[in-house]
Amino acid sequence: MSKSRAQSLSRDEVAKVASLALLELTDEELATFTEQLGAVLAHAKDIEALDVGDVEPTSHPYPLVNIFRTDVV
Amino acid sequence: MSNHNRYESSRYGNAEHSDALSIANAVKSGETSAVAVVDQHLAAIDAGEAEIHAFNLVLADEALAAAAKIDQQVIAGEDVGPLAGVPVAIKDNMCTQGVPTTCSSKMLVGWKPPYNATVVERLAAAGAILIGKTNMDEFAMGSSTENSAFGVTKNPLDTSKVPGGSSGGSAAAVAAGFAPLALGSDTGGSIRQPAALCGVVGMKPTYGAISRYGLIAFASSLDQIGPFSHTVADSAALFEVIGGHDPRDSTSIPTPVASVSAGLKSGVDGLRVGIITELMGTGDLDGFEPEVLAQTRAAAEALEAAGASVAEVSVPSVIYGLSAYYQIAPAEASSNLARYDGVRYGVRQEGSGNTASMMMATRTTGFGDEVKRRIMLGTYALSAGYYDAFYGKAQRVRTLMINDLAKAYADFDVLLTPTSPCVAFDIGATSDPLTMYLNDVCTIPSNLAGHPSISVPYGTGQGGLPVGVQVLAPLQGEAVMFQVAAELERSVSAAEAVAQNGAQS
Amino acid sequence: MNATNKVISQPITQPVSSTTLDAWTVDTQVPREETDLSSDWEMVIGLEVHAELATETKMFSPGRNQFGSEPNTNIHPVCLGLPGTLPVVNGKAVELSIRLGLALNCTVQRCIFARKNYFYPDMPKDYQISQYDRPLNISGWLELPNGHRIGIERAHMEEDTGKSTHVGTSGRIHDAGYSLVDYNRAGVPLIEIVSHPDVRGPEEAKAYVAELQSILIAIGASDGKFEEGSMRVDANISVRPAGSDELRTRCEVKNVNSLRSLGRAIMYEAKRHVELYESGDKPRQETRHWDEEGGRTRPGRSKEQAEDYRYFDDPDLVPVDPSPEWIEQIRAALPALPRDRRLALVGSGAAAGAAAIAVERDLDGLALAAIAAGADAGRVLTHVEHNLAVEGANKLDANNFAAMVKMETGGELTATQAKQVLAEMVTSGKAPADIATERGFEAMDSGALEATLDEIIAANPAEWERFCSEDPKAKGKMQGFFTGQVMKATRGQADGKAVAQLLAKKSS
């Protein structure tokens, strides 16, 4: 399923992402953004090699549970 | 000319008291009035703001009115709070009821929040006076304040340089003497890096220590509000005023704020200080200026001289912080910024006649390029087929980093790094986004881990511009972090005193 | 979040007879719809029911949760998603959701709120806070009145959207014109109950939704009002050759606003699938909308953007991790559920169908008490089913009810008299014996009844001859004739059963 980061980002992918984000890009912008975002993703290749299979993901840095509000207007 | 003189000369106006606690004491004792204090700072703003552009909005009349009220309370013998009469500048991403709040984006021009951020309420309750809303990188995305829709903020120490970002306006306001205190927000270094570049103290607390209610979100699991000031004691005092549990923020830690001022004079005798090897320009990460590294080592030596034990410590995963951050922060941002669609508030750009095209036209014209880049990056990281490889993996790298830091904290009370790999750089010099992102390499680990850290000015680097040294502590370790920061401040003052004597002799 | 591609956890082993269920659904008064495919095919249906929770405030905001207010009056900065606002979970909504989970025999677990990202003008944040891969309630079941169990995949919490009104030439959002948005409903707490694809036909689907509705109401989790949108149903429908266990392409049908529409929509869609397969074509997976007036489903709006909801854990919210103590406390406080109430009646001698009706009318308590007071269960349930679908029936005194039934079974009242006495008991609250006395109801003694019958036989010799013939048809017809004549002569005072016995005796 996952795309190898060795491939750089394609224009079509950027166009699709822009459409998902409700952003309209000119052809020129599409070219610039494709290159810039591709460079950022290429830099992020360093974590590709990391073996994190047995590491749990962190979505909150401070672990809290059951934070509730009373049902009062 | 010594560093200290250069630093002083950056200020506009000539306020009698430059630090917040002295001002509050003078106001409370009747030695001066809050109105006089506000007048002095408004005069400084008049003198320098046209050049610096620290503010999106100066609240002169409102500040004077609030000051007059404080003065009446002082006369009436009422308790006016720990920051009585102290002007505070706040970043323009914190909501102020009835007062425009823009995030330095065209998108929010004209929007006046119908409510106050929790920090704004707590500042008012402490007697502080809101003097203005400061410029920033649009939606807090940037490291130079060049991404503001309303123009760049200049570094008061050298107006050809950036003030850092994204809280560049707040850092510049304090450095320029427009306000003794300011609030910024820090998602990947947006308080600490501009503090370092502007030669002031800037601190990001433990995630959840200060309420985010009313802070316009960039990346919700990373964002924290924090103080800017000239002195470590002022930042500690401001942290104590705005920190503590808030039921309106589910991620707010449900305990009272830590008491951090009490230990500022305790010294560092017996404390264990670790220098993170990977963030000293020795490993895979380059781009560190030698002067910055030298000042960081000097800071470590000063702590050692004051009785701390100092050693290098390896935290291997910190080098992956940047990659993880630039998946997680844009992913959260892409969702947080979806609501800017022209339907309910802010600007609206009519499209080709239907709602969907209006929403697209609004977002296309309302956001600047950096915001668009991050929204697209984050949308990509979360999208079907890529989630596991990008966002999911970054969340696991985040865990790895937390584990590595925990190992380091088994042997050390605090960790030390440079705040920024470089001193303030030229306005307009960095056009490549990735190069700009590399500025955050030392500050990002604390955001990913949710740990507190503080940048303290420590000498100068290239061009005589200030260097910031960063003190990191584990979750809720603000007390020991401030304790070490205070020692660094004492040592730099002593060094400057020696340098000044040398220059005079 | 569709159910139909998941493993069926509670397989239906017997074919469901639609007629056995029909009488127990809520809308028994509507004309009979077509309910079955040809015997070569069977339907595979999974249902997604959204129910609004009965809280004072919204899921994550102190804004008021109330139906029918002026537009944009039940709003608050948080449910409007204003910049800088943050959600905080309504603890009451969690409690009601756990109640439902327990009522549906689910496992209640540590859960996470996730953001479902898509742009829509009536959704203030342009994402919906929902639950994705770790919902609150999983792996339960719901038992229908006929005893069949439908597997529950999950029941998770989420927030509702606002409502748009499109003012344009075609009434569609992509049309010119303008839109009005009401955010009163935005952020109202919802629970979404997703069934396994265990439902096999429109009648069973209706019975499932009706049962779910009565559970929601019984436990106080929702008012269950279809007409106010408190309950909304989406159906995932596919068909397969009868007896097969494959899962074929499904279509999700939305915009179904009543039980009757649900049945019609399912039938229409299933037949559409069968026709496609039989003509060598096949359906494609899509979302379709039920067009009530046209009596058909139509494809949803063509998607300008691909559906990619980019779910991720909401960083503004922390996990909900109900403690075993809390769960047990909620379980202990649950009222008797419709299923338990039906079983209690059946245990007291009621037939299953009659028990279901009694529970549906909330008269099972009365029936149980009357049976406990010694009344015949069959007669009690017959009165509940046929004579007590009236206002005030639930205020009937159980002992009086039992006394009336005993008078009837003891021969002191005929069935007709019993019905009249019962009606007056409901309106006046008087004791049955008093009503019978006032009305002069006295059971006729058998001698007087026989004398009356003899007179009628003498006056109608031809009819009597036909009654005595061997032709069962003629015999049945004449039995009706003589019973009618006796009733007429006694002004309804005669006991039909006694008349039948006398006729049988005299003709043998």
Side-chain angles (χ1 to χ4, degrees), chain A residues 1-3 5 9 13 17 21-22 24 33 36 41 43-44 46-48 50 52 55-59 61-62, chain B residues 207 221 250 253-254 320 322-323 363-364 373 375-376 380 385-386 389-390 393 395-396 398-399 449-450 476:
Chain A
M1 284 292 281
S2 71
K3 176 189 164 75
R5 292 203 183 118
L9 197 62
E13 284 172 312
V17 160
L22 277 193
E24 203 166 11
F33 284 137
Q36 290 171 337
L41 290 175
H43 180 270
D46 61 355
I47 61 172
E48 196 174 29
L50 284 176
V52 290
V55 179
E56 285 295 310
T58 295
S59 54
Y62 193 97
Chain B
Y207 183 81
S221 80
S250 304
I253 298 171
Y320 304 114
L322 201 68
S323 297
R363 292 171 61 77
T364 299
R373 268 192 289 275
I375 287 174
M376 288 192 285
Y380 183 73
Y386 300 110
F390 291 93
K393 184 125 194 187
Q395 297 267 36
R396 290 171 202 274
R398 190 173 187 181
T399 309
Q476 294 178 289

Side-chain angles (χ1 to χ4, degrees), chain B residues 460-488:
Chain B
T460 57
Q462 285 180 20
L465 290 161
V467 168
V469 169
Q470 185 180 220
V471 182
L472 298 82
L475 276 184
Q476 294 178 289
E478 276 88 352
V480 67
M481 178 195 78
F482 270 113
Q483 193 181 331
V484 174
E487 187 62 44
L488 287 176

Side-chain angles (χ1 to χ4, degrees), chain B residues 147-476:
Chain B
N147 295 331
S148 167
F150 311 132
V152 66
T153 294
K154 291 174 182 168
N155 192 319
L157 306 179
D158 179 342
T159 54
S160 70
K161 307 290 184 186
V162 301
S166 66
S167 312
S170 287
V174 172
F178 298 159
L181 292 178
L183 289 182
S185 66
D186 189 316
T187 307
S190 281
I191 291 172
R192 292 158 290 157
Q193 184 257 13
L197 270 50
C198 289
V200 298
V201 175
M203 177 260 186
K204 181 202 90 76
T206 298
Y207 183 81
I210 295 176
S211 171
R212 293 185 296 118
Y213 191 77
L215 170 68
I216 298 179
F218 162 16
S220 310
S221 80
L222 303 163
D223 294 343
Q224 273 292 291
I225 291 171
F228 287 96
S229 61
H230 289 294
T231 67
V232 172
D234 278 0
S235 275
L238 182 48
F239 171 68
E240 287 169 345
V241 160
I242 60 175
H245 183 239
D246 178 10
R248 291 179 294 188
D249 175 358
S250 304
T251 62
S252 167
I253 298 171
T255 57
V257 66
S259 172
V260 293
S261 295
L264 292 178
K265 290 180 179 141
S266 303
V268 295
D269 192 23
L271 287 181
R272 301 162 302 168
V273 178
I275 303 171
I276 300 181
T277 307
E278 288 80 4
L279 296 178
M280 290 300 285
T282 53
D284 295 341
L285 301 172
D286 48 17
F288 283 82
E289 292 174 354
E291 296 85 351
V292 168
L293 296 173
Q295 293 290 17
T296 307
R297 290 210 178 80
E301 284 160 18
L303 293 175
E304 199 163 29
S309 62
V310 177
E312 286 217 359
V313 57
S314 173
V315 185
S317 56
V318 293
I319 64 170
Y320 304 114
L322 201 68
S323 297
Y325 176 85
Y326 277 96
Q327 303 293 332
I328 294 169
E332 294 181 8
S334 70
S335 177
N336 285 332
L337 273 65
R339 70 191 68 191
Y340 305 106
D341 60 9
V343 174
R344 291 160 297 276
Y345 44 78
V347 299
R348 171 181 295 176
Q349 180 72 47
E350 293 301 340
S352 57
N354 62 41
T355 309
S357 83
M358 179 280 285
M359 290 164 79
M360 184 175 262
T362 297
R363 292 171 61 77
T364 299
T365 55
F367 289 136
D369 281 353
E370 183 58 29
V371 173
K372 288 179 185 171
R373 268 192 289 275
R374 300 216 195 177
I375 287 174
M376 288 192 285
L377 199 54
T379 303
Y380 183 73
L382 289 175
S383 62
Y386 300 110
Y387 180 96
D388 289 343
F390 291 93
Y391 187 75
K393 184 125 194 187
Q395 297 267 36
R396 290 171 202 274
V397 172
R398 190 173 187 181
T399 309
L400 217 54
M401 182 177 296
I402 290 170
N403 294 346
D404 280 359
L405 284 166
K407 277 182 210 155
Y409 285 120
D411 296 325
F412 298 93
D413 298 300
V414 296
L415 301 174
L416 207 64
T417 74
T419 304
S420 164
C422 58
V423 296
F425 44 92
D426 286 341
I427 291 170
T430 312
S431 60
D432 169 47
L434 181 59
T435 308
M436 189 67 89
Y437 297 172
L438 294 171
N439 276 296
D440 303 334
V441 68
C442 298
T443 45
I444 277 172
S446 298
N447 297 90
L448 288 173
H451 294 175
S453 55
I454 188 167
S455 179
V456 182
Y458 206 88
T460 57
Q462 285 180 20
L465 290 161
V467 168
V469 169
Q470 185 180 220
V471 182
L472 298 82
L475 276 184
Q476 294 178 289

Side-chain angles (χ1 to χ4, degrees), chain B residues 95 108 111 114-115 207 212-217 220-221 247-251 331-332 335-336 338-341 343-345 353-356 359 363 379 382-384 387 391, chain C residues 76-78 80-89 115 117 119-127 173-177 179 181 183 304 308 310-313 315-318:
Chain B
C95 289
L108 282 174
W111 183 60
Y115 72 100
Y207 183 81
R212 293 185 296 118
Y213 191 77
L215 170 68
I216 298 179
S220 310
S221 80
R248 291 179 294 188
D249 175 358
S250 304
T251 62
E332 294 181 8
S335 177
N336 285 332
R339 70 191 68 191
Y340 305 106
D341 60 9
V343 174
R344 291 160 297 276
Y345 44 78
N354 62 41
T355 309
M359 290 164 79
R363 292 171 61 77
T379 303
L382 289 175
S383 62
Y387 180 96
Y391 187 75
Chain C
H76 180 275
V78 172
L80 277 184
L82 292 188
T85 58
L86 294 170
V88 183
V89 175
R115 294 187 186 176
N117 294 286
F119 287 94
Y120 216 70
D122 61 15
M123 196 167 57
K125 301 181 293 297
D126 286 300
Y127 61 80
I173 189 172
H174 295 288
D175 172 27
S179 301
V181 196
Y183 291 106
E304 284 173 10
D308 184 346
R310 289 159 282 135
Y311 281 101
F312 71 108
D313 295 355
D316 287 330
L317 291 163
V318 302

Side-chain angles (χ1 to χ4, degrees), chain C residues 187-464:
Chain C
V188 163
L190 291 177
I191 186 148
E192 178 176 345
I193 305 107
V194 181
S195 86
H196 283 289
D198 296 351
V199 178
R200 289 291 170 271
E203 296 308 308
E204 192 165 72
K206 285 152 71 176
Y208 169 84
V209 174
E211 180 69 7
L212 192 51
Q213 181 186 39
S214 56
I215 291 172
L216 284 162
I217 294 169
I219 64 175
S222 176
D223 65 16
K225 291 179 179 168
F226 275 100
E227 64 278 16
E228 293 182 2
S230 298
M231 271 184 84
R232 306 192 282 274
V233 184
D234 301 333
N236 285 294
I237 300 158
S238 66
V239 300
R240 66 186 175 198
S244 133
D245 59 1
E246 67 179 307
L247 292 173
R248 294 195 172 189
T249 304
R250 62 190 150 77
C251 289
E252 183 177 14
V253 177
K254 289 182 176 288
N255 196 32
V256 184
N257 295 322
S258 70
L259 285 179
R260 181 162 178 262
S261 303
L262 176 65
R264 293 176 71 202
I266 288 171
M267 206 55 223
Y268 176 89
E269 187 63 15
K271 281 169 74 177
R272 192 179 70 86
H273 285 217
V274 168
E275 278 163 22
L276 283 169
Y277 287 123
E278 288 182 343
S279 66
D281 203 349
K282 55 186 179 184
R284 60 191 185 100
Q285 187 165 329
E286 63 181 345
T287 299
R288 299 175 68 89
H289 291 264
W290 173 245
D291 167 6
E292 179 71 37
E293 274 180 31
R296 53 167 296 176
T297 65
R298 296 179 189 279
R301 68 193 159 94
S302 63
K303 287 278 186 293
E304 284 173 10
Q305 55 187 76
E307 252 175 41
D308 184 346
Y309 294 128
R310 289 159 282 135
Y311 281 101
F312 71 108
D313 295 355
D314 192 325
D316 287 330
L317 291 163
V318 302
V320 173
D321 192 3
S323 67
E325 296 74 31
W326 192 28
I327 293 171
E328 287 318 308
Q329 195 187 327
I330 292 171
R331 193 194 304 275
L334 279 180
L337 298 174
R339 171 174 179 266
D340 305 328
R341 292 161 60 183
R342 288 195 297 268
L343 290 179
L345 265 183
V346 169
S348 296
I357 291 166
V359 170
E360 192 186 303
R361 296 195 181 143
D362 201 20
L363 294 175
D364 54 315
L366 173 70
L368 272 179
I371 294 166
D376 174 72
R379 289 310 301 161
V380 165
L381 270 298
T382 300
H383 284 298
V384 165
E385 182 173 349
H386 298 291
N387 304 330
L388 285 176
V390 292
E391 196 161 338
N394 55 353
K395 295 200 183 84
L396 203 57
D397 180 83
N399 286 324
N400 279 348
F401 184 31
M404 190 284 293
V405 172
K406 281 190 243 175
M407 287 167 71
E408 185 187 6
T409 51
E412 293 169 53
L413 291 173
T414 67
T416 312
Q417 289 169 340
K419 191 175 168 180
Q420 292 169 12
V421 170
L422 187 57
E424 190 172 337
M425 283 166 67
V426 171
T427 52
S428 72
K430 287 182 190 165
D434 295 344
I435 297 169
T437 307
E438 280 169 28
R439 297 198 169 205
F441 291 164
E442 285 168 48
M444 295 182 86
D445 68 50
S446 54
L449 183 61
E450 193 166 354
T452 306
L453 182 58
D454 286 341
E455 282 173 30
I456 292 168
I457 290 172
N460 300 283
E463 283 78 5
W464 181 245

